[in-house]
Structures are given as structure tokens and as C-alpha cells.
């Protein structure tokens, strides 16, 4: 693993609601995740992000740990409700100042801040006006993005609009497993479209500063049929539309997927598509971030709701529970590094105009081991790095790699049960303890630096 090119960026990633806590500090407004955590049964153990890793107060310590790790870049997200408590108008200076201090401290240690503007914490006030179902939320996002861009533009050069619009729209408004917990068809598909539109319009608005680069982060993985039967192959193709092509075709192909109307017939009337939207969404990007965790295995299955008019967006006649006989992580995700190579090659082959790629998330949860000896995580990361390297050898323009996650954190609907961190967090004392994987990654980074010096 000593053969990554010089200039390749090495980092770790987190997100605001998952680590910050301090939800009532410095004028922060309520987000859809604060509200969702109050719904009985929504989050395992009744956990919430109210305290999380208390990063809002302990960030200097966390930056010191990042410095010691030796990363070139740190991917985090900006909480919209800290910057605009009601999602519109009024700007909370103290919220922006928090991120300024963080960025300055990172830069002092030679770590590039790599912020994402939206990692799922929509101001609750906007949800009450329709949330991402509403086109107006896209306009509000453009305003928010420009506020942050103006405030941090002297410290940050790489600007990521959204983390995983699939999860915000389909898991949040279709499946209901994430905030705001809706189970809709048309609403979820409208949300997906409005997230893409918000991305395109915001990049168009922010562009112009010399040296600034813009991108979006997508969760990607191959959708593999469980058999070669025509039905399973068709099911995998529908799944690929839901998870990937409804986002990547407009972003990088200048088109809506050709099978969209057939798969969602009767679910949506497409009234959210306006003239000019495709051109806005297809704004040229400087990079795309890919989050990869595992391969999707898809079988044909009957629709749960036979009536398209009341069907949710995820009810597309598929079963994704038939997993192969391979090792699993604590999330029950199959460990399949080859799926990462396939993902990167597949994207490159489908979109000739694909911008340079960063792997903006890759990692795993495992039960805690005595002495923080997380050999399984080391194996996972090593094998996925090798798979990424293979894709580069095959011509993929991969520019960097970020481990998910720097710290154990609030794993959404799973609460604090699953631990993804290179650093263990004791939620009673807030003590941070680097795991074996932290020391391993530190050594990988040191070796890279030596070999490319
Ligand atoms: C990512 N789901 O994606 C997120 O970007 C992180 O915030 C998260 O902690 C990490 O993966 C590990 O789960 C997810 O469908 C993608 O439930 C999909 C889901 C959850 C998270």
C-alpha cells in the first residue's frame, strides 16, 4: 500500500448531528433530527444527538487528535440550523464563528477543511413548510449555501453541497427510517429532485471565486441480482435506478433515466420537473465524492402495496435481504471490497464526463474488542484501500480517501449502538481512546509521506 500517487489526499470524516451535541448552544435552531429522535421507537434505545461526542465543546481536543493522526484533510459538515436557526433569513453569527474557529485550527495543523453543507439536519421550520417535498426548500438552501460560502470562503476551497441525497430523500421521505420519517411515493421522488436542483443552483451561485472547487457526495454500490434469472436482473436494474441512476444520470449524463417513468408509473406525475432543471442540475463539477460500504444483492419480489397511488418510493418490487455467505460487519453489511472497484469502474464507464473522484466515506462498525484491538476494522480498511488502488490502476481518477469515521458517533436510527470510529468514545466520560486502527492508519499515512517525499 505504498504506491498511492503523491498528492493523494488522506482523511477522515464525520458529520454535524452525529458528533456535535450542543443542540441548544449559541442560538442553534431545531432540526428534523431533533424532532425525529423524540418520536417513540424512531431511534434505537431512545438515543438522541443532544450530547453525542460533545464535539461542539471538545473540538480543540479533537483537532489535536486529527493532527496526531496525520491526515491531510478532515471532512465534516456544517449544521444549517446553527447558521440559520429557522432555515431562512436571520443568520446566527455564533454558529458561523464555530466553524471558522474549527477551520482555522485545522489549517494551523496543515489539515484541509473539507466541509459538506448538508448532512441531513434540515431546519425543522422548513420541514413544517414541506421540507424537501417543496421546491422552495431548494431556494432556501441556495441562500444558506451562499451565506456559508461568503463566511468561510477565505478558509475553505473544496465545497461539497450534499451528503447522499438518496438517504435524505428515499430513506427520509420514502422509507421513513430517517427524519422526517415519512412514507411517501411522490413526496420522496420530489425530494430527490429538489435536492439535486438545490445542489445545481447553489453551485451556480457560489462559483466564481478563484481556486474554489465544488462537488457532491453520493452513496454508491453495485446492485447485483441474486440469480441470472430475467426477473432478478430486472429487479436489480430497478434498484440501481432508485439508488444511483435517478441521481447520477441528471448529474453527469444530462438526462433523466429512461426507465424512471415505467418504474414509478402511477406513483408520481413528475410535476416537480420544470423546464431548465436538468441544465441546472448538470452544472459542471470539480469532483464527486463516493461513499462505499457494501454491495447490494437484489431479488425480484411482489410490490407490498399493489396500488401505485398509495405506494411508497421504495416499494419497487425488490427484496434486498438475501445476502451472500461472506463475513458481515456489526451492521450486518457484507464485507465485499471488490464491490468498491466495481463501483468506481462502473461510474467511469457510464459517464464519460465524470469529474475526479474522492472516496469520501468507507469504514465499518464492529463490536468493541478488549484493549481497543480492532483488527477487523484494520482488515476492512486495508482491503478496501487495495480495491480502490486497483480501480486507479484501471484508470479511475481517484484523488483521496476518507475513513468513516474519525470518532464513534450517533449512528442515526441505530443510536450509539454501532461504533464506526478509529477513536473510541466513552459516552459517560467523553474520553477519547484511539483504537488499533487509528495507530494503523497513522502508520499508513506516515509511510505514504515518506515514500512520496
Ligand atoms: C453513511 N441507511 O450513509 C452516512 O453518510 C453516515 O452519516 C453514516 O454514519 C455512515 O454511512 C454509516 O452508516 C448511510 O440506509 C447510508 O440507513 C445509508 C443508510 C445510513 C447511512
Amino acid at each position: 500500500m505504498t504506491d498511492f500517487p503523491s498528492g493523494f489526499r488522506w482523511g477522515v470524516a464525520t458529520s454535524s448531528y452525529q458528533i456535535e451535541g450542543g443542540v441548544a448552544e449559541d442560538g442553534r435552531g431545531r432540526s428534523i433530527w431533533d424532532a425525529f429522535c423524540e418520536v417513540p421507537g424512531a431511534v434505537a434505545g431512545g438515543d438522541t444527538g443532544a450530547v453525542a461526542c460533545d464535539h461542539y465543546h471538545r473540538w480543540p481536543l479533537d483537532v489535536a487528535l486529527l493532527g496526531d493522526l496525520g491526515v491531510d484533510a478532515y471532512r465534516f459538515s456544517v449544521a444549517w440550523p446553527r447558521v440559520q436557526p429557522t432555515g431562512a433569513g436571520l443568520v446566527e453569527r455564533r454558529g458561523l464563528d464555530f466553524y471558522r474557529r474549527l477551520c482555522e485550527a485545522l489549517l494551523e495543523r496543515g489539515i484541509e477543511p473539507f466541509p459538506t453543507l448538508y448532512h441531513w439536519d434540515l431546519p425543522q421550520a422548513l420541514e413544517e413548510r414541506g421540507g424537501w417535498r417543496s421546491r422552495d426548500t431548494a431556494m432556501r438552501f441556495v441562500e444558506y449555501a451562499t451565506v456559508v460560502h461568503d463566511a468561510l470562503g477565505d478558509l475553505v476551497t473544496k465545497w461539497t453541497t450534499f451528503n447522499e441525497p438518496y438517504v435524505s430523500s428515499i430513506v427520509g421521505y420514502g422509507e421513513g427510517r430517517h427524519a422526517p420519517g415519512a412514507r411517501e411515493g411522490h413526496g420522496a421522488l420530489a425530494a430527490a429532485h429538489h435536492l439535486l436542483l438545490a445542489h445545481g443552483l447553489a453551485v451556480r451561485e457560489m462559483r466564481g471565486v478563484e481556486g474554489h472547487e465544488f462537488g457532491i457526495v453520493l452513496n454508491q454500490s453495485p446492485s447485483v441480482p441474486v440469480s441470472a434469472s430475467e426477473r432478478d436482473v430486472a429487479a436489480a436494474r430497478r434498484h440501481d435506478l432508485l439508488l444511483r441512476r435517478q441521481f447520477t444520470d441528471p448529474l453527469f449524463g444530462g438526462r433523466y433515466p429512461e426507465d424512471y417513468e415505467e418504474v414509478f408509473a402511477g406513483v408520481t406525475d413528475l410535476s416537480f420537473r420544470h423546464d431548465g432543471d436538468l441544465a441546472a442540475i448538470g452544472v459542471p463539477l470539480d469532483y464527486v465524492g463516493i461513499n462505499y460500504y457494501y454491495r447490494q444483492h437484489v431479488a425480484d419480489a411482489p410490490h407490498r402495496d399493489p396500488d401505485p397511488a398509495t405506494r411508497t418510493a421504495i416499494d419497487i418490487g425488490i427484496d434486498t435481504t438475501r445476502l451472500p455467505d461472506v463475513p458481515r460487519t456489526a451492521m450486518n453489511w457484507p464485507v465485499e471490497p471488490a464491490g468498491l472497484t466495481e463501483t468506481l469502474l462502473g461510474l467511469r464507464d457510464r459517464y464519460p464526463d465524470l469529474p475526479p473522484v474522492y472516496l469520501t466515506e468507507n469504514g465499518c462498525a464492529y463490536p468493541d474488542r478488549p484493549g481497543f484491538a480492532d483488527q477487523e476494522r484494520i482488515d476492512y480498511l486495508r482491503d478496501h484501500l487495495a480495491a480502490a488502488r486497483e480501480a486507479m490502476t484501471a484508470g479511475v481518477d481517484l484523488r483521496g480517501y476518507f475513513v468513516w469515521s474519525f470518532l464513534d458517533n450517533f449512528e442515526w436510527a441505530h443510536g450509539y449502538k454501532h461504533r464506526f470510529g478509529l477513536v473510541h468514545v466513552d459516552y459517560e466520560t467523553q474520553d477519547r481512546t484511539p483504537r488499533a486502527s487509528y495507530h494503523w492508519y497513522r502508520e499508513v499515512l506516515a509511510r505514504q509521506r515518506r515514500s512520496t517525499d
Side-chain angles (χ1 to χ4, degrees):
M1 220 145 42
T2 49
D3 58 345
F4 282 80
S6 77
F8 191 84
R9 312 293 285 160
W10 297 91
V12 288
T14 64
S15 87
S16 50
Y17 191 70
Q18 294 182 272
I19 66 165
E20 285 179 0
V23 291
E25 297 287 321
D26 293 339
R28 176 186 178 277
R30 208 168 139 74
S31 84
I32 56 173
W33 271 94
D34 298 300
F36 189 64
C37 288
E38 290 169 5
V39 177
V43 176
D47 291 347
T48 81
V51 178
C53 308
D54 195 32
H55 172 77
Y56 194 73
H57 299 110
R58 294 168 198 262
W59 62 269
L61 174 71
D62 292 334
V63 172
L65 273 169
L66 288 167
D68 183 56
L69 181 56
V71 287
D72 309 309
Y74 173 51
R75 177 170 180 251
F76 60 97
S77 78
V78 177
W80 187 348
R82 286 200 194 279
V83 175
Q84 288 181 301
T86 60
L90 185 80
V91 171
E92 177 50 81
R93 207 59 241 178
R94 292 172 294 175
L96 284 171
D97 287 345
F98 168 72
Y99 296 107
R100 272 202 77 82
R101 286 193 298 273
L102 176 66
C103 290
E104 283 165 356
L106 290 167
L107 289 167
E108 270 165 35
R109 289 174 185 270
I111 301 168
E112 180 177 16
F114 203 111
T116 299
L117 289 167
Y118 186 85
H119 199 127
W120 310 353
D121 38 7
L122 184 72
Q124 175 65 14
L126 292 185
E127 180 55 30
E128 280 154 25
R129 284 153 53 184
W132 287 110
R133 300 171 192 88
S134 160
R135 194 174 173 93
D136 186 57
T137 298
M139 306 310 154
R140 299 283 68 76
F141 177 81
V142 176
E143 183 184 306
Y144 156 68
T146 54
V147 166
V148 180
H149 185 246
D150 287 346
L152 305 180
D154 57 329
L155 302 175
V156 171
T157 60
K158 294 203 182 56
W159 293 89
T160 301
T161 53
F162 288 94
N163 180 68
E164 303 185 348
Y166 168 83
V167 178
S168 294
S169 56
I170 304 301
V171 182
Y173 291 86
E175 200 176 347
R177 210 155 43 76
H178 279 194
R183 295 190 169 84
E184 300 170 15
H186 175 78
L189 298 172
H193 183 78
H194 293 143
L195 285 153
L196 290 175
L197 180 65
H199 155 81
L201 294 176
V203 170
R204 188 188 277 175
E205 202 61 31
M206 290 187 284
R207 267 230 190 275
V209 182
E210 178 72 26
H212 281 197
E213 297 184 16
F214 299 91
I216 188 168
V217 167
L218 307 170
N219 52 310
Q220 296 280 295
S221 70
S223 299
V224 186
V226 297
S227 83
S229 81
E230 223 169 279
R231 298 180 72 98
D232 289 337
V233 170
R237 189 169 156 69
R238 290 195 296 278
H239 184 266
D240 184 59
L241 167 72
L242 180 73
L243 182 74
R244 309 209 289 168
R245 285 183 288 111
Q246 71 167 314
F247 301 95
T248 50
D249 278 5
L251 283 167
F252 307 119
R255 60 179 184 267
Y256 296 114
E258 64 277 8
D259 49 345
Y260 187 106
E261 291 178 48
E262 186 193 323
V263 171
F264 296 115
V267 177
T268 173
D269 60 7
L270 302 176
S271 52
F272 45 77
R273 288 185 188 171
H274 293 194
D275 286 349
D277 285 1
L278 261 190
I281 294 168
V283 65
L285 296 180
D286 303 295
Y287 61 91
V288 58
I290 300 301
N291 297 346
Y292 174 82
Y293 290 93
Y294 59 103
R295 259 201 203 111
Q296 301 279 342
H297 300 270
V298 188
D300 181 56
H303 288 284
R304 272 156 280 178
D305 180 350
D307 180 2
T310 52
R311 202 179 271 164
T312 75
I314 61 158
D315 188 3
I316 54 171
I318 56 169
D319 172 7
T320 55
T321 62
R322 288 168 52 182
L323 300 181
D325 192 17
V326 298
R328 314 271 175 82
T329 71
M331 299 285 281
N332 206 31
W333 293 348
V335 178
E336 298 188 88
L340 172 55
T341 318
E342 284 162 35
T343 295
L344 294 170
L345 294 178
L347 272 170
R348 198 257 333 252
D349 293 345
R350 186 170 175 84
Y351 304 106
D353 295 330
L354 191 76
V357 180
Y358 287 87
L359 261 168
T360 36
E361 286 181 29
N362 176 236
C364 51
Y366 280 107
D368 249 328
R369 302 298 177 208
F372 305 103
D374 57 340
Q375 187 59 42
E376 295 141 305
R377 181 172 287 104
I378 294 173
D379 293 344
Y380 180 101
L381 296 174
R382 187 199 51 229
D383 293 349
H384 284 78
L385 269 173
R389 188 69 190 82
E390 212 175 300
M392 291 168 76
T393 303
V396 173
D397 185 3
L398 185 67
R399 302 281 178 95
Y401 177 87
F402 293 78
V403 175
W404 184 273
S405 180
F406 170 42
L407 301 172
D408 289 341
N409 59 53
F410 176 75
E411 179 53 29
W412 308 111
H414 298 278
Y416 295 99
K417 197 172 63 190
H418 293 306
R419 294 176 176 273
F420 275 88
L422 295 180
V423 176
H424 174 272
V425 175
D426 179 326
Y427 295 109
E428 300 287 315
T429 62
Q430 291 294 346
D431 283 345
R432 274 84 162 128
T433 309
R435 294 192 168 95
S437 56
Y438 173 100
H439 298 292
W440 170 82
Y441 195 45
R442 188 169 186 264
E443 201 36 55
V444 170
L445 305 189
R447 225 167 28 227
Q448 284 305 317
R449 251 188 303 278
R450 282 198 297 274
S451 73
T452 59
D453 269 350

